[in-house]
Amino acid sequence: MYKNIEILAKNAGEMMLEAFGRIGSIHEKTSNSDIVTEYDIKIQDYLTKELSKLYPDADFLGEEGDSKRDPDEILRGRAFIIDPIDGTTNFVRNLRTSAVSIALAENGEVIYGCCYIPYNDELFTAEKGKGAFLNGIPVKCSDTPIEHSLASVGTTPYNKEVYSEPTFGIIRILFEKSMDIRRFGSAVIDILNVACGRSDIFCELRLSPWDHAAAGIIASEAGAIVSDMNGNKLRFNGRYSVIAATPRCYDFFMKDADIQKYSKWF
Ligand code: IPD
Ligand code: CA
């Protein structure tokens, strides 16, 4: 049903690959950690133009979109939530760990998501209630207990002053209680990794809607629990904390007294 969207995600991924060695100009947005390249803009423009042809009534909430518009208004009705390149710093550094992310929401609820990692030719997709797929093959999250889990944590790099302390506090606890820690630099890939059992728990204290909307539905359709770090349903109208974890690791996170000491930042 959403094949046309998947073709566009793959085309966008091709544009990322073509950028190798000629990324062009890079600009700082809100801080030295928050950057945008010509390709972020080019891909966002491409997706907006082509998706508008397929869904003329849809609105757009995108990382490189008009930040002055009210997200609640955009999300009324049908809207695409887009990250043209999640993991822009990885993209600039040729770390080959970035993804295109497209979610379709209706009345503020995500009903479909697709994410494409061009470096691995991996297309993750999910439609609400119909399971999650990697290149058309069903995927499920793991059933690993916390002591054998691989955990990944995002560092909320655009708000270091506020979130550095709780982020590294949580990393330390997860490091001590899990098998080991990873920091991939793309929240989309972090959440997809939980979806397909490559890792077991991911959290970050603040993410924007385009960082988690598509990967979030893919992970929940794969059997993971995805919510804010207080256990509330994810919202897409601002920046909130996000956890995506297997049921066992999620249960650990919500009950662990050491982690919950940081809950005022959740
Ligand atoms: C960022 C990445 C990163 C996360 C940041 C995000 P961007 O997205 O997902 O892993 O830590 O919070 O903003 O800027 O590369 O699209
Ligand atoms: Ca992003």
Side-chain angles (χ1 to χ4, degrees):
M1 177 168 179
Y2 296 110
K3 277 275 166 283
N4 288 341
I5 301 178
E6 290 158 21
I7 292 169
L8 297 182
K10 284 193 156 196
N11 291 346
E14 282 302 316
M15 290 164 81
M16 283 166 67
L17 295 181
E18 281 161 21
F20 187 82
R22 47 183 163 113
I23 278 167
S25 61
I26 300 163
H27 295 285
E28 282 182 16
K29 295 195 285 183
T30 57
S31 75
N32 62 334
S33 309
D34 186 8
I35 53 176
V36 58
T37 69
E38 283 173 21
Y39 277 87
D40 295 77
I41 312 269
K42 204 163 129 181
I43 295 173
Q44 170 119 359
D45 289 349
Y46 167 76
L47 291 173
T48 308
K49 189 169 138 228
E50 296 302 320
L51 288 167
S52 300
K53 288 183 196 158
L54 298 174
Y55 296 83
D57 63 333
D59 210 333
F60 290 88
L61 186 62
E63 170 141 38
E64 313 310 335
D66 181 356
S67 55
K68 290 187 205 83
R69 287 191 59 203
D70 174 9
D72 281 315
E73 194 207 304
I74 296 175
L75 292 165
R76 218 167 282 148
R78 181 181 272 174
F80 284 101
I81 306 174
I82 293 179
D83 199 338
I85 302 178
D86 182 62
T88 299
T89 303
N90 287 348
F91 175 70
V92 166
R93 298 303 188 102
N94 287 323
L95 281 165
R96 302 173 66 82
T97 310
S98 311
V100 180
S101 174
I102 306 174
L104 178 59
E106 271 176 10
N107 303 319
E109 179 123 9
V110 174
I111 57 161
Y112 166 79
C114 83
C115 302
Y116 185 57
I117 308 174
Y119 310 101
N120 308 339
D121 189 23
E122 290 184 325
L123 181 77
F124 288 81
T125 53
E127 215 178 311
K128 203 171 170 49
K130 297 194 176 166
F133 299 85
L134 166 52
N135 291 342
I137 296 164
V139 284
K140 278 265 158 240
C141 72
S142 80
D143 186 34
T144 312
I146 193 71
E147 60 273 22
H148 296 132
S149 69
L150 195 56
S152 67
V153 180
T155 51
T156 315
Y158 313 153
N159 306 85
K160 288 181 187 170
E161 329 71 53
V162 180
Y163 295 107
S164 173
E165 187 195 324
T167 295
F168 285 89
I170 292 165
I171 289 177
R172 184 182 176 143
I173 297 161
L174 284 174
F175 174 63
E176 286 171 358
K177 303 207 174 173
S178 70
M179 190 182 176
D180 204 351
I181 285 284
R182 296 289 183 272
R183 189 327 185 220
F184 291 107
S186 158
V188 167
I189 293 178
D190 282 308
I191 299 170
L192 296 174
N193 282 341
V194 173
C196 67
R198 291 175 185 164
S199 73
D200 311 290
I201 176 167
F202 161 73
C203 64
E204 183 155 357
L205 282 164
R206 285 296 174 276
L207 284 176
S208 296
W210 41 82
D211 299 320
H212 61 78
I217 187 172
I218 293 166
S220 41
E221 286 296 322
I225 306 181
V226 185
S227 71
D228 74 16
M229 284 158 76
N230 290 307
N232 302 311
K233 204 166 167 244
L234 280 178
R235 287 163 288 170
F236 304 99
N237 62 351
R239 284 171 64 72
Y240 302 101
S241 64
V242 174
I243 172 168
T246 68
R248 285 168 94 171
C249 292
Y250 186 89
D251 192 53
F252 156 81
F253 186 95
M254 291 301 167
K255 292 184 182 151
D256 185 81
D258 293 327
I259 285 186
Q260 292 305 319
K261 281 185 197 145
Y262 292 99
S263 62
K264 75 168 186 187
W265 282 281
F266 295 178

mmCIF file of all heavy atoms in Angstrom, residues 34 63 83 85-89 154-158 183 185-188 190 204 206-207 211, ligand 1:
data_model
loop_
_atom_site.group_PDB
_atom_site.id
_atom_site.type_symbol
_atom_site.label_atom_id
_atom_site.label_comp_id
_atom_site.label_asym_id
_atom_site.label_seq_id
_atom_site.Cartn_x
_atom_site.Cartn_y
_atom_site.Cartn_z
ATOM 1 N N ASP A 34 24.897 21.019 16.314
ATOM 2 C CA ASP A 34 23.662 20.914 15.528
ATOM 3 C C ASP A 34 23.926 21.468 14.133
ATOM 4 O O ASP A 34 23.921 22.679 13.928
ATOM 5 C CB ASP A 34 22.579 21.739 16.258
ATOM 6 C CG ASP A 34 21.214 21.587 15.625
ATOM 7 O OD1 ASP A 34 21.066 20.740 14.726
ATOM 8 O OD2 ASP A 34 20.300 22.318 16.047
ATOM 9 N N GLU A 63 12.690 17.902 9.863
ATOM 10 C CA GLU A 63 13.834 18.502 10.549
ATOM 11 C C GLU A 63 14.272 19.788 9.880
ATOM 12 O O GLU A 63 14.617 20.754 10.559
ATOM 13 C CB GLU A 63 15.005 17.511 10.610
ATOM 14 C CG GLU A 63 16.276 18.179 11.103
ATOM 15 C CD GLU A 63 17.121 17.339 12.016
ATOM 16 O OE1 GLU A 63 17.227 16.136 11.797
ATOM 17 O OE2 GLU A 63 17.686 17.914 12.969
ATOM 18 N N ASP A 83 12.713 12.959 8.605
ATOM 19 C CA ASP A 83 14.105 13.327 8.827
ATOM 20 C C ASP A 83 14.861 12.952 7.556
ATOM 21 O O ASP A 83 15.024 11.761 7.254
ATOM 22 C CB ASP A 83 14.682 12.593 10.045
ATOM 23 C CG ASP A 83 15.929 13.289 10.564
ATOM 24 O OD1 ASP A 83 16.552 14.030 9.785
ATOM 25 O OD2 ASP A 83 16.273 13.090 11.739
ATOM 26 N N ILE A 85 18.024 13.206 6.742
ATOM 27 C CA ILE A 85 19.241 12.449 7.107
ATOM 28 C C ILE A 85 19.290 12.427 8.628
ATOM 29 O O ILE A 85 19.577 13.447 9.261
ATOM 30 C CB ILE A 85 20.531 13.122 6.577
ATOM 31 C CG1 ILE A 85 20.495 13.280 5.051
ATOM 32 C CG2 ILE A 85 21.763 12.321 7.013
ATOM 33 C CD1 ILE A 85 21.728 13.994 4.468
ATOM 34 N N ASP A 86 18.992 11.295 9.235
ATOM 35 C CA ASP A 86 19.196 11.206 10.677
ATOM 36 C C ASP A 86 20.607 10.677 10.890
ATOM 37 O O ASP A 86 20.976 9.629 10.347
ATOM 38 C CB ASP A 86 18.174 10.287 11.348
ATOM 39 C CG ASP A 86 18.400 10.285 12.844
ATOM 40 O OD1 ASP A 86 18.263 11.360 13.450
ATOM 41 O OD2 ASP A 86 18.753 9.227 13.401
ATOM 42 N N GLY A 87 21.366 11.426 11.698
ATOM 43 C CA GLY A 87 22.783 11.117 11.844
ATOM 44 C C GLY A 87 23.573 12.015 10.905
ATOM 45 O O GLY A 87 24.434 11.541 10.144
ATOM 46 N N THR A 88 23.275 13.309 10.951
ATOM 47 C CA THR A 88 23.960 14.246 10.033
ATOM 48 C C THR A 88 25.459 14.317 10.331
ATOM 49 O O THR A 88 26.274 14.371 9.415
ATOM 50 C CB THR A 88 23.304 15.646 10.111
ATOM 51 O OG1 THR A 88 21.928 15.514 9.713
ATOM 52 C CG2 THR A 88 23.979 16.638 9.178
ATOM 53 N N THR A 89 25.821 14.275 11.611
ATOM 54 C CA THR A 89 27.258 14.327 11.941
ATOM 55 C C THR A 89 27.961 13.091 11.379
ATOM 56 O O THR A 89 29.046 13.197 10.780
ATOM 57 C CB THR A 89 27.449 14.430 13.465
ATOM 58 O OG1 THR A 89 26.740 15.579 13.914
ATOM 59 C CG2 THR A 89 28.913 14.548 13.844
ATOM 60 N N GLY A 154 21.484 7.860 23.518
ATOM 61 C CA GLY A 154 21.779 9.095 22.790
ATOM 62 C C GLY A 154 22.144 10.171 23.790
ATOM 63 O O GLY A 154 21.660 10.168 24.926
ATOM 64 N N THR A 155 22.991 11.100 23.361
ATOM 65 C CA THR A 155 23.554 12.039 24.339
ATOM 66 C C THR A 155 22.874 13.414 24.368
ATOM 67 O O THR A 155 23.350 14.316 25.042
ATOM 68 C CB THR A 155 25.060 12.225 24.063
ATOM 69 O OG1 THR A 155 25.227 12.549 22.679
ATOM 70 C CG2 THR A 155 25.833 10.957 24.384
ATOM 71 N N THR A 156 21.772 13.583 23.632
ATOM 72 C CA THR A 156 21.090 14.894 23.581
ATOM 73 C C THR A 156 22.133 16.010 23.361
ATOM 74 O O THR A 156 22.249 16.940 24.170
ATOM 75 C CB THR A 156 20.244 15.136 24.862
ATOM 76 O OG1 THR A 156 19.524 13.936 25.146
ATOM 77 C CG2 THR A 156 19.235 16.264 24.689
ATOM 78 N N PRO A 157 22.888 15.916 22.261
ATOM 79 C CA PRO A 157 24.040 16.822 22.105
ATOM 80 C C PRO A 157 23.684 18.292 21.931
ATOM 81 O O PRO A 157 24.543 19.155 22.112
ATOM 82 C CB PRO A 157 24.732 16.276 20.848
ATOM 83 C CG PRO A 157 23.665 15.549 20.096
ATOM 84 C CD PRO A 157 22.756 14.974 21.133
ATOM 85 N N TYR A 158 22.412 18.594 21.591
ATOM 86 C CA TYR A 158 22.057 20.005 21.365
ATOM 87 C C TYR A 158 21.683 20.720 22.655
ATOM 88 O O TYR A 158 21.405 21.913 22.632
ATOM 89 C CB TYR A 158 20.908 20.133 20.349
ATOM 90 C CG TYR A 158 21.089 19.302 19.095
ATOM 91 C CD1 TYR A 158 19.997 18.862 18.367
ATOM 92 C CD2 TYR A 158 22.366 18.966 18.648
ATOM 93 C CE1 TYR A 158 20.173 18.082 17.224
ATOM 94 C CE2 TYR A 158 22.542 18.194 17.519
ATOM 95 C CZ TYR A 158 21.450 17.749 16.812
ATOM 96 O OH TYR A 158 21.620 16.979 15.703
ATOM 97 N N ARG A 183 26.994 4.015 21.336
ATOM 98 C CA ARG A 183 26.456 5.331 20.992
ATOM 99 C C ARG A 183 26.659 5.454 19.483
ATOM 100 O O ARG A 183 27.768 5.643 19.005
ATOM 101 C CB ARG A 183 27.215 6.412 21.755
ATOM 102 C CG ARG A 183 26.717 7.874 21.732
ATOM 103 C CD ARG A 183 26.064 8.365 20.527
ATOM 104 N NE ARG A 183 25.730 9.794 20.580
ATOM 105 C CZ ARG A 183 24.616 10.283 20.119
ATOM 106 N NH1 ARG A 183 23.698 9.474 19.592
ATOM 107 N NH2 ARG A 183 24.399 11.580 20.158
ATOM 108 N N GLY A 185 24.972 7.550 17.157
ATOM 109 C CA GLY A 185 24.886 8.857 16.509
ATOM 110 C C GLY A 185 23.712 9.008 15.556
ATOM 111 O O GLY A 185 23.655 9.978 14.798
ATOM 112 N N SER A 186 22.777 8.074 15.590
ATOM 113 C CA SER A 186 21.525 8.211 14.829
ATOM 114 C C SER A 186 20.437 7.556 15.666
ATOM 115 O O SER A 186 20.442 6.332 15.855
ATOM 116 C CB SER A 186 21.637 7.516 13.468
ATOM 117 O OG SER A 186 20.344 7.214 12.972
ATOM 118 N N ALA A 187 19.514 8.379 16.151
ATOM 119 C CA ALA A 187 18.434 7.827 16.984
ATOM 120 C C ALA A 187 17.583 6.859 16.172
ATOM 121 O O ALA A 187 17.102 5.846 16.683
ATOM 122 C CB ALA A 187 17.581 8.966 17.536
ATOM 123 N N VAL A 188 17.415 7.155 14.874
ATOM 124 C CA VAL A 188 16.632 6.263 14.015
ATOM 125 C C VAL A 188 17.266 4.867 14.011
ATOM 126 O O VAL A 188 16.595 3.855 14.254
ATOM 127 C CB VAL A 188 16.535 6.854 12.579
ATOM 128 C CG1 VAL A 188 16.014 5.827 11.594
ATOM 129 C CG2 VAL A 188 15.659 8.104 12.580
ATOM 130 N N ASP A 190 19.415 3.653 16.187
ATOM 131 C CA ASP A 190 19.338 3.104 17.554
ATOM 132 C C ASP A 190 18.019 2.372 17.767
ATOM 133 O O ASP A 190 17.979 1.273 18.323
ATOM 134 C CB ASP A 190 19.394 4.253 18.574
ATOM 135 C CG ASP A 190 20.787 4.796 18.793
ATOM 136 O OD1 ASP A 190 21.698 4.009 19.063
ATOM 137 O OD2 ASP A 190 20.958 6.029 18.728
ATOM 138 N N GLU A 204 17.086 8.256 25.123
ATOM 139 C CA GLU A 204 17.703 9.578 24.968
ATOM 140 C C GLU A 204 16.774 10.588 25.632
ATOM 141 O O GLU A 204 15.548 10.499 25.494
ATOM 142 C CB GLU A 204 17.925 9.898 23.476
ATOM 143 C CG GLU A 204 18.636 11.235 23.278
ATOM 144 C CD GLU A 204 19.413 11.346 21.948
ATOM 145 O OE1 GLU A 204 19.467 10.364 21.180
ATOM 146 O OE2 GLU A 204 19.972 12.434 21.700
ATOM 147 N N ARG A 206 16.174 13.872 25.219
ATOM 148 C CA ARG A 206 15.331 14.728 24.384
ATOM 149 C C ARG A 206 15.565 14.391 22.924
ATOM 150 O O ARG A 206 16.706 14.375 22.455
ATOM 151 C CB ARG A 206 15.641 16.230 24.592
ATOM 152 C CG ARG A 206 15.099 16.813 25.896
ATOM 153 C CD ARG A 206 13.573 16.790 25.971
ATOM 154 N NE ARG A 206 13.065 17.223 27.268
ATOM 155 C CZ ARG A 206 12.921 16.464 28.359
ATOM 156 N NH1 ARG A 206 13.284 15.198 28.333
ATOM 157 N NH2 ARG A 206 12.406 16.964 29.459
ATOM 158 N N LEU A 207 14.475 14.109 22.223
ATOM 159 C CA LEU A 207 14.538 13.896 20.775
ATOM 160 C C LEU A 207 13.409 14.671 20.116
ATOM 161 O O LEU A 207 12.360 14.913 20.731
ATOM 162 C CB LEU A 207 14.376 12.400 20.444
ATOM 163 C CG LEU A 207 15.587 11.498 20.685
ATOM 164 C CD1 LEU A 207 15.216 10.040 20.412
ATOM 165 C CD2 LEU A 207 16.779 11.903 19.808
ATOM 166 N N ASP A 211 13.078 12.284 14.786
ATOM 167 C CA ASP A 211 14.114 11.324 15.198
ATOM 168 C C ASP A 211 13.510 9.962 15.576
ATOM 169 O O ASP A 211 14.233 8.966 15.622
ATOM 170 C CB ASP A 211 14.874 11.821 16.429
ATOM 171 C CG ASP A 211 15.594 13.131 16.215
ATOM 172 O OD1 ASP A 211 16.161 13.320 15.141
ATOM 173 O OD2 ASP A 211 15.599 13.960 17.152
HETATM 174 C C1 IPD B 1 20.435 13.458 15.900
HETATM 175 C C2 IPD B 1 20.816 12.021 15.992
HETATM 176 C C3 IPD B 1 21.570 11.756 17.276
HETATM 177 C C4 IPD B 1 20.816 12.215 18.503
HETATM 178 C C5 IPD B 1 20.366 13.630 18.359
HETATM 179 C C6 IPD B 1 19.579 13.816 17.088
HETATM 180 P P1 IPD B 1 20.325 14.503 13.439
HETATM 181 O O1 IPD B 1 19.698 13.712 14.711
HETATM 182 O O2 IPD B 1 19.662 11.201 15.948
HETATM 183 O O3 IPD B 1 21.844 10.385 17.455
HETATM 184 O O4 IPD B 1 21.622 12.077 19.624
HETATM 185 O O5 IPD B 1 19.587 13.943 19.504
HETATM 186 O O6 IPD B 1 19.144 15.131 16.981
HETATM 187 O O7 IPD B 1 20.536 15.916 13.857
HETATM 188 O O8 IPD B 1 21.581 13.832 13.099
HETATM 189 O O9 IPD B 1 19.268 14.359 12.401
#
